[in-house]
Amino acid sequence: MRAVVYDRYGPPDVLRLEEVERPAPREDELLVKIHATAVTRADCATREANRRSGLLVTLISRSISGIRRPRQRILGSEMAGVVEAIGSAVRNFAVGDHVFGSTGFRFGAYAEFICIRENARIAHKPAGISFEEAAAVCDGGLNALWCLRLADLGKGQRILIYGASGAIGSAGVQLAKYFGADVTAVCSTKNLELMGALGAHRVIDYTQEDFTRNGQTYDVIFDAVGKHSFRRSKGSLRPGGKYLATDGLRNLILARWTSRFGDKRVMFSIPPRYTQQDVVLLKELIEAGDFRAVIDRSYPLQDIVEAARYVETEQKTGNVVLTIGGQET
Ligand SMILES: NC(=O)c1ccc[n+]([C@@H]2O[C@H](COP(=O)([O-])OP(=O)(O)OC[C@H]3O[C@@H](n4cnc5c(N)ncnc54)[C@H](OP(=O)(O)O)[C@@H]3O)[C@@H](O)[C@H]2O)c1
């Protein structure tokens, strides 16, 4: 089968197409023919061993994914496709089923086929959406769900989402609204309209207004893009308020510190723990019209280098998808 592989950490050009052996499912696994995957910030960070985050994070990253070279040669954690074969113990999926889901840090989805356990983070693809759309659901969807649950976001609470137009942010706006919160989205001018379409109650253009200076306060501030800070946001949090982080070693330390001192907390926990039920919830929300994945660009698998370069600009709106083979829904 064709797969995108890499044998050393580095820039997007370390990625290349190669013929590799097609995997065979174990008894509790499905073999899925992948029709679409997504290029995520996590893929890019892993590929370059988190070089941009400093030496300590690079060392931690390499200790997980391979000290000298990557142990898993195939990146990609998002997938949507068709079940091609099943192991003898598989009960809930059948050959021909349309599925979608996430392999998380096991990766392996930049490929024509993947084996995945039937109780992993997969579900039947929602009716009426394409493989491309389905492949773009879980990166932002699962991460945002994990973060909002950490904050125990409830009905009527006020949340501000900074970086609301990214993969996690665009999912966060929709999920926060689903949880009954009052949602203020912060993004640049070009994404203001999108925020309204996703259901934000208010939108702040950060090129025109600094939310930390407008006198408004929130129960939760969700930095969905890792570009703000607890220190700068603290004055905009209500007493007992929570700052939700998605990135940064400093936030791990602050999370411990603020759990003991002060009445405003940083919430950050990695690795995120997602379950199959979370994927099923996203499927149900899509079918109910309460959630959709935002897709910025779509590339064919062979254009992976170009796609990864675009994701690395940190300017994608929502998600970047890679298509592999046929595109029927
Ligand atoms: N904790 C985890 O397990 C985990 C997993 C995956 C990703 N992450 C991290 O989560 C973060 C978000 O990932 P993502 O894929 O959702 O991001 P993304 O899609 O790459 O975010 C891109 C968006 O961020 C906005 N942006 C860029 N620079 C900004 C700035 N300086 N200030 C405000 N907004 C800015 C841009 O929109 P505007 O033009 O509208 O500003 C752009 O559309 C990353 O830091 C990533 O490393 C964490």
Side-chain angles (χ1 to χ4, degrees):
M1 67 169 184
R2 286 184 316 147
V4 170
V5 301
Y6 76 129
D7 291 307
R8 64 183 174 88
Y9 298 111
D13 352 27
V14 300
L15 299 165
R16 63 176 196 282
L17 263 182
E18 196 177 279
E19 275 297 320
V20 300
E21 202 174 321
R22 185 201 283 204
R26 298 199 183 116
E27 62 172 15
D28 62 343
E29 287 182 336
L30 322 172
L31 174 69
V32 177
K33 182 173 187 343
I34 301 177
H35 287 248
T37 178
V39 184
T40 68
R41 293 280 299 276
D43 292 340
C44 294
T46 304
R47 190 201 65 242
E48 58 164 32
N50 281 282
R51 181 181 55 81
R52 293 167 201 223
S53 303
L55 184 62
L56 181 57
V57 179
T58 296
L59 289 173
I60 296 169
S61 177
R62 282 183 180 244
S63 73
I64 296 165
S65 52
I67 297 286
R68 285 166 160 272
R69 63 184 67 84
R71 271 190 296 272
Q72 163 59 291
R73 297 176 73 221
I74 305 174
L75 286 168
S77 55
E78 310 309 308
M79 65 95 197
V82 179
V83 177
E84 178 89 358
I86 56 171
S88 58
V90 170
R91 294 288 168 266
N92 299 320
F93 295 90
V95 170
D97 283 358
H98 291 193
V99 294
F100 79 114
S102 172
T103 61
F105 285 102
R106 290 173 183 265
F107 295 111
Y110 288 176
E112 286 182 310
F113 292 92
I114 192 167
C115 284
I116 186 160
R117 280 182 300 112
E118 81 157 331
N119 62 1
R121 288 155 302 199
I122 52 167
H124 289 96
K125 182 167 78 63
I129 70 166
S130 67
F131 289 111
E132 285 180 60
E133 289 167 298
V137 169
C138 286
D139 180 41
L142 292 179
N143 274 299
L145 197 55
W146 168 254
C147 290
L148 295 178
R149 281 187 178 147
L150 276 183
D152 200 18
L153 186 72
K155 221 174 165 52
Q157 287 196 312
R158 294 192 75 195
I159 182 171
L160 176 137
I161 303 183
Y162 189 82
S165 52
I168 298 177
S170 58
V173 168
Q174 299 174 81
L175 292 172
K177 184 155 187 237
Y178 167 73
F179 288 134
D182 179 279
V183 183
T184 298
V186 183
C187 62
S188 71
T189 317
K190 72 178 195 301
N191 290 313
L192 294 176
E193 212 170 294
L194 173 67
M195 294 303 109
L198 295 180
H201 298 95
R202 270 165 295 283
V203 189
I204 294 175
D205 179 345
Y206 65 76
T207 68
Q208 305 296 320
E209 180 181 342
D210 179 351
F211 79 84
T212 64
R213 291 170 186 269
N214 67 6
Q216 296 294 314
T217 55
Y218 303 90
D219 300 294
V220 177
I221 292 179
F222 182 12
D223 180 5
V225 72
K227 299 288 184 192
H228 218 273
S229 72
F230 177 57
R231 187 175 54 79
R232 282 191 287 147
S233 310
K234 212 172 164 184
S236 303
L237 279 173
R238 291 175 168 176
K242 294 164 186 163
Y243 171 83
L244 274 177
T246 45
D247 221 343
L249 208 51
R250 71 179 185 287
N251 286 318
L252 278 180
I253 298 161
L254 280 170
R256 298 206 69 164
W257 179 266
T258 57
S259 70
R260 293 166 145 238
F261 306 106
D263 74 334
K264 296 175 182 176
R265 288 189 62 180
V266 173
M267 313 295 292
F268 186 35
S269 175
I270 46 171
R273 289 188 200 91
Y274 321 122
T275 64
Q276 188 169 77
Q277 285 65 44
D278 296 334
V279 183
V280 171
L281 172 64
L282 292 173
K283 167 190 153 70
E284 289 168 355
L285 293 181
I286 291 167
E287 288 177 338
D290 290 327
F291 188 89
R292 70 178 167 96
V294 173
I295 296 178
D296 182 338
R297 295 185 185 181
S298 183
Y299 297 81
L301 184 66
Q302 61 268 26
D303 290 346
I304 177 68
V305 173
E306 203 185 319
R309 281 197 188 118
Y310 181 56
V311 172
E312 282 190 353
T313 63
E314 302 187 0
Q315 292 305 322
K316 69 179 162 70
T317 298
N319 301 272
V320 167
V321 167
L322 285 178
T323 55
I324 312 172
Q327 283 305 299
E328 83 275 21
T329 56

